[in-house]
Each structure stands twice: as C-alpha cells, then as structure tokens.
Amino acid sequence: MSSRTLPLLFINLGGEMLYILDQRLRAQNIPADKAKKVMNDIITTMFNKKFLEELFKPQELYSKKALRTVFDRLAHASIMRLNQASMDKLYDLMTMAFKYQVLLCPRPKDILLVSFNHMDAIKDFVKDTPSILSQVDETYQQLIEMYSSLCSGEFQLIRQTLLIFFQDMHIRVSIFLKDKVQNSNGRFVLPTSGPVPHGTQVPGLIRMFSCAGEETNRLQFTNGGNYTAAVREGSFEIFGDRVTKLGTNMYSVSRPVETHMSGTSKNSAQHTKVNAAPNPLAKEELNLLAKLMGGLEVQKPGNTDSGFRVNLFSTDEEEEEALISRPDELAYGVINIQATKDQQANAELTKIMGEFTESGDQSPSSSKGDDLLAMMDGL
C-alpha cells in the first residue's frame, strides 16, 4: 500500500463534501452570508497549516471509521449542523463519487488531475477571501512538490490503495442509477468506449518484430469497444486546463440525490462487524488520528439563533426514516480517549491538543481536548 495516498483521499473527499453542501445550502435557501461563512469556515479548517503538516507526512491510510470521524469533525467546523442520518448520507455521497472517479481515471496519474479539479473548485469558493485563498495555494504547492515527480508505478500503487479502501462500499446513488453508470447492486458500470489514456494507442493492432527489431507483420483484431485517440494531456500546474471533467461539480445542475444501501453493502458491513476484533495497532492509530485532528476546531455557536441545520433529505420524515433503517453496523460512533483523566500518561498528545490552534474566530470557552473526546466518544 502506498504511504502517500492519504492527502489525495482527504482532498478529493473534502472537495466532494463542499460540492454537496453548497448544493444543499442553495436548495434550502440558506441566506448567502451564512452559506458563505459555512464554506469559508470548513475550508479554513481543511487547510489549517498544522493539520496539513500531519496529513502530508508519509503514512498508511486510516480505517474507514477513523476517516469518517475526521470528516464528521470538518462538517461541523462552522455554524451548520447535520443530524446523524444526513451526515451518513453526506459521507456516502462523498465516498461513492470519488470511488467512481478513481475507477474512471484513464491513467493512475490522472488521479492527481482529479485532485486539482477539486482544488480549483475550492479556490473558487474562497476567491473573495485572500487569507483562506493563500492557505489553498500553499496546499497546491505541496501537492505539486510531493506528487509531480512520482513515477507511473507509484501512482498505480496509490490507485490500488484507494480501490482497496473503497472495495466494500457499494452505496446506490440516484444520479449514478439514472445515468446508468451504476447497477442496482451498487457496482459501477465501466465504459468500453471513449478516448484511450494519453500516451497509448487505440487497441486493435498487433505488430510483430524480428530479432533485429524490424517490423515483420501486422495483425488486426476487434477490440470490443468504441475507442478513440487520446486527447491532450491535462495540465499539472497550478493554473492550467485539466482536460478531464472528473472531479468537477456533478451537482451544478440541481436534481435530487438519494442514497440506498444495497444488499451487498449490508453483507459487507456485517462482515466488517464480525471481524471487528481488538486490533493491537488500534492505540497507535488513535494517537495518530488525535494528532491529525489536533488542529480541527469545531465552531460552537454562542446562541441557538446563530446556528442552523442542513437536511440532505427532501423532508425531515425521510431523514428520520433513514436513520432508523440504517444497519447498526454502519452507525459511525466515536472513540473515547481518556486523555483528560491522566494528562501525564500521554504528555505528547496533551501537548498536541494544547498547541494546535485554528486561525478562525473561536469561542473562548471551547476546549480542544473536550471537543476531540466528544467527537471520538464511542467509535
């Protein structure tokens, strides 16, 4: 597994989360000033310098529950609140959208172009806020420095790591079902047509060469698809044409988006529950997760009028029904780290939670340690 996968996974899932939230804020007619504050607060938290320092350190992927905890934290980094069912749906949409993009990438290296499409959109969200824009630009530079020089084999390893992470996730999404790119069991339908990857030729020709390297014969064969020549390669610079549309906003045309658990997903979830035996590395993962999340502050509204709830379902009744019907094994909880009972037992973790700060306006009464414990309570 590649140790450089986590930043790409985080940025792409974060980009999809912002697309979805932007669409829902518009659909619910949230005042423009509040909607902008939500987007700015989440993006500020996503691109917090200390948070990204931890994120970009070479490391293995976290578990699905651990990563979900990070995004639960991010989604509530502002005055917006999501009920459990809406948060579940948000995460399902994020993960399935990015899984589809990874599957469709013509070359493994194109995952970086998908990431840049997400970054371009994030820049557009904060184009009127220079301080946040500079944070995003710094991350661009980090992405270019870390990934632009990687060989094709390393990108293939990153792609395989992502596909292993997503392999048991088969959530049906209405947009994909309507566009017939997803089957009723939640598995994606991959095309056998369109442009071939950049640097390759349309399949259908076999060339035979002599020992001297001279071409001696050619054979044609039916390739079974409707392929075309490769289009030009997308730009890997900060400013440039990415060419690929993967990673752009599929919610730009307003339409309802629903998610449904397929039978395969339920079986996979049950399998996960059966194998949820104590992991000897769990303590190390929790410490790493806590370190990663140390810079994530949750904005606590000073009064009830300043916050608002976003519903990813059409009605409150649908949201409540989804929460009741969701399998227990997919209910994401949190972990209780007993860091406050004996601070001497983990001085490093205490130091991290005490030193990491967020550059936005925060409630003076908020406690990083308490927030972290509250978020992780019961995973």
Side-chain angles (χ1 to χ4, degrees), residues 1-10 55-61 111-112 142-143 145-151 154-155 157-159 161-162:
M1 297 180 74
S2 175
S3 62
R4 298 183 182 273
T5 308
L6 184 59
L8 294 182
L9 178 61
F10 174 80
L55 190 73
F56 274 86
K57 290 178 180 178
Q59 56 193 297
E60 298 301 325
L61 280 186
I111 292 173
L112 188 54
Q142 288 179 282
L143 287 171
E145 290 173 9
M146 176 175 284
Y147 295 100
S148 60
S149 61
L150 295 185
C151 64
E154 183 66 28
F155 275 109
L157 192 56
I158 289 173
R159 182 176 185 272
T161 303
L162 288 170

Short mmCIF file of all heavy atoms in Angstrom, two decimals, residues 1-10 55-61 111-112 142-143 145-151 154-155 157-159 161-162:
data_model
loop_
_atom_site.label_atom_id
_atom_site.label_comp_id
_atom_site.label_asym_id
_atom_site.label_seq_id
_atom_site.Cartn_x
_atom_site.Cartn_y
_atom_site.Cartn_z
N MET A 1 0.85 -1.20 0.00
CA MET A 1 0.00 0.00 0.00
C MET A 1 0.88 1.24 0.00
O MET A 1 1.92 1.28 0.64
CB MET A 1 -0.93 0.00 1.21
CG MET A 1 -1.92 -1.15 1.22
SD MET A 1 -2.99 -1.12 2.66
CE MET A 1 -4.06 0.24 2.22
N SER A 2 0.44 2.27 -0.72
CA SER A 2 1.22 3.49 -0.80
C SER A 2 1.02 4.35 0.45
O SER A 2 -0.09 4.52 0.93
CB SER A 2 0.81 4.30 -2.04
OG SER A 2 1.48 5.55 -2.05
N SER A 3 2.12 4.91 0.95
CA SER A 3 2.06 5.77 2.14
C SER A 3 1.77 7.22 1.76
O SER A 3 1.75 8.09 2.62
CB SER A 3 3.39 5.70 2.89
OG SER A 3 4.46 6.17 2.08
N ARG A 4 1.56 7.49 0.47
CA ARG A 4 1.29 8.86 0.00
C ARG A 4 -0.15 9.04 -0.46
O ARG A 4 -0.46 9.95 -1.21
CB ARG A 4 2.26 9.22 -1.13
CG ARG A 4 3.72 9.21 -0.71
CD ARG A 4 4.62 9.64 -1.85
NE ARG A 4 6.02 9.58 -1.47
CZ ARG A 4 6.70 10.57 -0.87
NH1 ARG A 4 6.06 11.69 -0.57
NH2 ARG A 4 7.97 10.45 -0.57
N THR A 5 -1.02 8.15 -0.05
CA THR A 5 -2.40 8.17 -0.53
C THR A 5 -3.29 9.10 0.27
O THR A 5 -4.23 9.69 -0.26
CB THR A 5 -2.99 6.74 -0.50
OG1 THR A 5 -2.10 5.86 -1.19
CG2 THR A 5 -4.35 6.68 -1.16
N LEU A 6 -3.02 9.25 1.57
CA LEU A 6 -3.93 9.96 2.47
C LEU A 6 -4.24 11.40 2.03
O LEU A 6 -5.41 11.79 2.03
CB LEU A 6 -3.38 9.93 3.90
CG LEU A 6 -4.28 10.56 4.98
CD1 LEU A 6 -5.63 9.86 5.03
CD2 LEU A 6 -3.60 10.50 6.34
N PRO A 7 -3.23 12.23 1.65
CA PRO A 7 -3.58 13.60 1.24
C PRO A 7 -4.53 13.65 0.05
O PRO A 7 -5.46 14.46 0.03
CB PRO A 7 -2.21 14.21 0.89
CG PRO A 7 -1.22 13.42 1.69
CD PRO A 7 -1.77 12.04 1.70
N LEU A 8 -4.33 12.77 -0.94
CA LEU A 8 -5.21 12.76 -2.11
C LEU A 8 -6.62 12.32 -1.72
O LEU A 8 -7.61 12.88 -2.20
CB LEU A 8 -4.65 11.84 -3.19
CG LEU A 8 -3.32 12.27 -3.83
CD1 LEU A 8 -2.92 11.29 -4.93
CD2 LEU A 8 -3.41 13.69 -4.38
N LEU A 9 -6.72 11.31 -0.87
CA LEU A 9 -8.03 10.85 -0.41
C LEU A 9 -8.75 11.96 0.34
O LEU A 9 -9.94 12.23 0.09
CB LEU A 9 -7.86 9.62 0.49
CG LEU A 9 -9.14 9.03 1.09
CD1 LEU A 9 -10.08 8.55 0.00
CD2 LEU A 9 -8.81 7.89 2.04
N PHE A 10 -8.05 12.63 1.23
CA PHE A 10 -8.66 13.69 2.03
C PHE A 10 -9.13 14.86 1.15
O PHE A 10 -10.25 15.35 1.29
CB PHE A 10 -7.66 14.18 3.08
CG PHE A 10 -8.14 15.36 3.86
CD1 PHE A 10 -9.02 15.20 4.91
CD2 PHE A 10 -7.71 16.64 3.55
CE1 PHE A 10 -9.48 16.29 5.64
CE2 PHE A 10 -8.16 17.73 4.26
CZ PHE A 10 -9.04 17.56 5.31
N LEU A 55 -1.06 15.72 7.84
CA LEU A 55 -1.68 14.99 6.74
C LEU A 55 -0.67 14.57 5.68
O LEU A 55 -0.74 13.47 5.13
CB LEU A 55 -2.76 15.86 6.10
CG LEU A 55 -3.69 15.19 5.09
CD1 LEU A 55 -4.67 14.28 5.80
CD2 LEU A 55 -4.45 16.25 4.29
N PHE A 56 0.30 15.43 5.39
CA PHE A 56 1.25 15.18 4.31
C PHE A 56 2.44 14.32 4.74
O PHE A 56 3.28 14.00 3.90
CB PHE A 56 1.74 16.50 3.72
CG PHE A 56 0.83 17.04 2.64
CD1 PHE A 56 -0.27 17.82 2.97
CD2 PHE A 56 1.07 16.76 1.30
CE1 PHE A 56 -1.11 18.31 1.98
CE2 PHE A 56 0.23 17.24 0.31
CZ PHE A 56 -0.87 18.02 0.65
N LYS A 57 2.52 13.96 6.00
CA LYS A 57 3.58 13.05 6.41
C LYS A 57 3.30 11.67 5.82
O LYS A 57 2.17 11.18 5.92
CB LYS A 57 3.66 12.97 7.93
CG LYS A 57 4.18 14.24 8.59
CD LYS A 57 4.19 14.11 10.11
CE LYS A 57 4.71 15.39 10.75
NZ LYS A 57 4.68 15.32 12.24
N PRO A 58 4.29 11.01 5.20
CA PRO A 58 4.05 9.66 4.66
C PRO A 58 3.52 8.73 5.74
O PRO A 58 4.12 8.58 6.79
CB PRO A 58 5.44 9.23 4.18
CG PRO A 58 6.15 10.52 3.89
CD PRO A 58 5.66 11.48 4.94
N GLN A 59 2.36 8.13 5.48
CA GLN A 59 1.72 7.26 6.47
C GLN A 59 0.67 6.41 5.78
O GLN A 59 0.21 6.74 4.69
CB GLN A 59 1.06 8.11 7.57
CG GLN A 59 0.05 9.12 7.04
CD GLN A 59 -0.36 10.15 8.07
OE1 GLN A 59 -0.93 9.81 9.10
NE2 GLN A 59 -0.06 11.41 7.80
N GLU A 60 0.31 5.32 6.41
CA GLU A 60 -0.72 4.45 5.86
C GLU A 60 -2.09 5.09 6.05
O GLU A 60 -2.28 5.95 6.90
CB GLU A 60 -0.68 3.08 6.55
CG GLU A 60 0.64 2.33 6.34
CD GLU A 60 0.95 2.07 4.88
OE1 GLU A 60 0.01 1.84 4.10
OE2 GLU A 60 2.14 2.11 4.52
N LEU A 61 -3.06 4.62 5.25
CA LEU A 61 -4.42 5.14 5.38
C LEU A 61 -5.00 4.77 6.74
O LEU A 61 -4.69 3.72 7.30
CB LEU A 61 -5.32 4.54 4.30
CG LEU A 61 -5.25 5.15 2.90
CD1 LEU A 61 -6.31 4.50 2.02
CD2 LEU A 61 -5.44 6.65 2.93
N ILE A 111 -5.31 10.66 -11.33
CA ILE A 111 -5.89 10.93 -10.00
C ILE A 111 -5.43 12.29 -9.51
O ILE A 111 -6.18 13.00 -8.82
CB ILE A 111 -5.49 9.81 -9.01
CG1 ILE A 111 -6.16 8.49 -9.40
CG2 ILE A 111 -5.87 10.18 -7.58
CD1 ILE A 111 -5.71 7.30 -8.59
N LEU A 112 -4.21 12.69 -9.88
CA LEU A 112 -3.71 14.00 -9.48
C LEU A 112 -4.49 15.11 -10.19
O LEU A 112 -4.76 16.16 -9.60
CB LEU A 112 -2.22 14.10 -9.79
CG LEU A 112 -1.49 15.35 -9.26
CD1 LEU A 112 -1.70 15.50 -7.76
CD2 LEU A 112 0.01 15.28 -9.58
N GLN A 142 2.30 22.12 -2.15
CA GLN A 142 2.66 20.85 -1.50
C GLN A 142 2.30 19.66 -2.38
O GLN A 142 3.06 18.69 -2.47
CB GLN A 142 1.96 20.74 -0.14
CG GLN A 142 2.51 21.66 0.93
CD GLN A 142 1.77 21.52 2.25
OE1 GLN A 142 0.66 22.04 2.41
NE2 GLN A 142 2.34 20.80 3.19
N LEU A 143 1.12 19.72 -3.01
CA LEU A 143 0.72 18.63 -3.90
C LEU A 143 1.67 18.49 -5.07
O LEU A 143 2.08 17.37 -5.44
CB LEU A 143 -0.70 18.88 -4.41
CG LEU A 143 -1.85 18.69 -3.42
CD1 LEU A 143 -3.16 19.19 -4.01
CD2 LEU A 143 -1.98 17.22 -3.01
N GLU A 145 4.83 19.48 -5.26
CA GLU A 145 6.13 19.02 -4.79
C GLU A 145 6.13 17.53 -4.47
O GLU A 145 7.09 16.82 -4.76
CB GLU A 145 6.55 19.82 -3.55
CG GLU A 145 6.90 21.28 -3.84
CD GLU A 145 7.14 22.07 -2.57
OE1 GLU A 145 7.21 21.44 -1.49
OE2 GLU A 145 7.24 23.31 -2.66
N MET A 146 5.04 17.05 -3.87
CA MET A 146 5.00 15.65 -3.45
C MET A 146 4.71 14.68 -4.59
O MET A 146 5.29 13.59 -4.66
CB MET A 146 3.95 15.45 -2.34
CG MET A 146 3.80 14.00 -1.91
SD MET A 146 2.68 13.77 -0.50
CE MET A 146 3.70 14.32 0.86
N TYR A 147 3.83 15.08 -5.53
CA TYR A 147 3.32 14.10 -6.49
C TYR A 147 3.80 14.27 -7.93
O TYR A 147 3.78 13.29 -8.69
CB TYR A 147 1.78 14.13 -6.48
CG TYR A 147 1.18 13.68 -5.18
CD1 TYR A 147 0.73 14.61 -4.24
CD2 TYR A 147 1.08 12.33 -4.85
CE1 TYR A 147 0.18 14.20 -3.03
CE2 TYR A 147 0.54 11.91 -3.66
CZ TYR A 147 0.09 12.85 -2.74
OH TYR A 147 -0.44 12.44 -1.56
N SER A 148 4.22 15.45 -8.33
CA SER A 148 4.54 15.65 -9.75
C SER A 148 5.72 14.82 -10.22
O SER A 148 5.83 14.48 -11.40
CB SER A 148 4.81 17.14 -10.03
OG SER A 148 5.90 17.61 -9.27
N SER A 149 6.62 14.47 -9.32
CA SER A 149 7.81 13.72 -9.71
C SER A 149 7.66 12.21 -9.53
O SER A 149 8.59 11.45 -9.84
CB SER A 149 9.02 14.20 -8.90
OG SER A 149 8.81 14.00 -7.51
N LEU A 150 6.50 11.76 -9.06
CA LEU A 150 6.32 10.32 -8.83
C LEU A 150 6.24 9.58 -10.16
O LEU A 150 5.71 10.09 -11.15
CB LEU A 150 5.06 10.06 -8.01
CG LEU A 150 5.04 10.58 -6.57
CD1 LEU A 150 3.75 10.12 -5.88
CD2 LEU A 150 6.26 10.12 -5.80
N CYS A 151 6.74 8.36 -10.18
CA CYS A 151 6.70 7.55 -11.40
C CYS A 151 5.31 6.91 -11.55
O CYS A 151 4.48 6.93 -10.64
CB CYS A 151 7.76 6.46 -11.34
SG CYS A 151 7.50 5.26 -10.00
N GLU A 154 4.31 4.32 -8.91
CA GLU A 154 3.86 4.84 -7.62
C GLU A 154 2.41 5.28 -7.70
O GLU A 154 1.62 5.05 -6.77
CB GLU A 154 4.75 6.01 -7.19
CG GLU A 154 4.41 6.58 -5.82
CD GLU A 154 4.65 5.62 -4.67
OE1 GLU A 154 5.53 4.75 -4.80
OE2 GLU A 154 3.95 5.74 -3.64
N PHE A 155 2.02 5.91 -8.81
CA PHE A 155 0.62 6.31 -8.97
C PHE A 155 -0.29 5.08 -9.07
O PHE A 155 -1.42 5.10 -8.60
CB PHE A 155 0.45 7.20 -10.19
CG PHE A 155 0.74 8.65 -9.93
CD1 PHE A 155 1.87 9.26 -10.43
CD2 PHE A 155 -0.12 9.42 -9.15
CE1 PHE A 155 2.14 10.59 -10.19
CE2 PHE A 155 0.14 10.76 -8.89
CZ PHE A 155 1.27 11.34 -9.41
N LEU A 157 0.24 2.32 -7.53
CA LEU A 157 0.12 1.84 -6.15
C LEU A 157 -0.88 2.69 -5.37
O LEU A 157 -1.67 2.16 -4.58
CB LEU A 157 1.50 1.89 -5.48
CG LEU A 157 1.64 1.17 -4.13
CD1 LEU A 157 1.23 -0.30 -4.23
CD2 LEU A 157 3.07 1.29 -3.63
N ILE A 158 -0.87 4.01 -5.61
CA ILE A 158 -1.83 4.90 -4.96
C ILE A 158 -3.25 4.53 -5.39
O ILE A 158 -4.17 4.46 -4.57
CB ILE A 158 -1.52 6.38 -5.30
CG1 ILE A 158 -0.26 6.83 -4.58
CG2 ILE A 158 -2.70 7.28 -4.93
CD1 ILE A 158 0.23 8.21 -4.99
N ARG A 159 -3.43 4.30 -6.69
CA ARG A 159 -4.76 3.94 -7.20
C ARG A 159 -5.25 2.63 -6.58
O ARG A 159 -6.41 2.51 -6.17
CB ARG A 159 -4.72 3.81 -8.72
CG ARG A 159 -6.08 3.49 -9.35
CD ARG A 159 -5.99 3.49 -10.87
NE ARG A 159 -7.30 3.30 -11.47
CZ ARG A 159 -7.85 2.11 -11.75
NH1 ARG A 159 -7.17 1.00 -11.45
NH2 ARG A 159 -9.05 2.02 -12.27
N THR A 161 -4.35 1.36 -3.74
CA THR A 161 -4.62 1.60 -2.32
C THR A 161 -6.01 2.22 -2.14
O THR A 161 -6.77 1.84 -1.24
CB THR A 161 -3.55 2.53 -1.72
OG1 THR A 161 -2.26 1.95 -1.90
CG2 THR A 161 -3.79 2.75 -0.22
N LEU A 162 -6.35 3.17 -3.02
CA LEU A 162 -7.68 3.79 -2.96
C LEU A 162 -8.77 2.77 -3.26
O LEU A 162 -9.81 2.73 -2.58
CB LEU A 162 -7.75 4.95 -3.95
CG LEU A 162 -6.96 6.21 -3.59
CD1 LEU A 162 -6.91 7.18 -4.77
CD2 LEU A 162 -7.55 6.89 -2.36
#
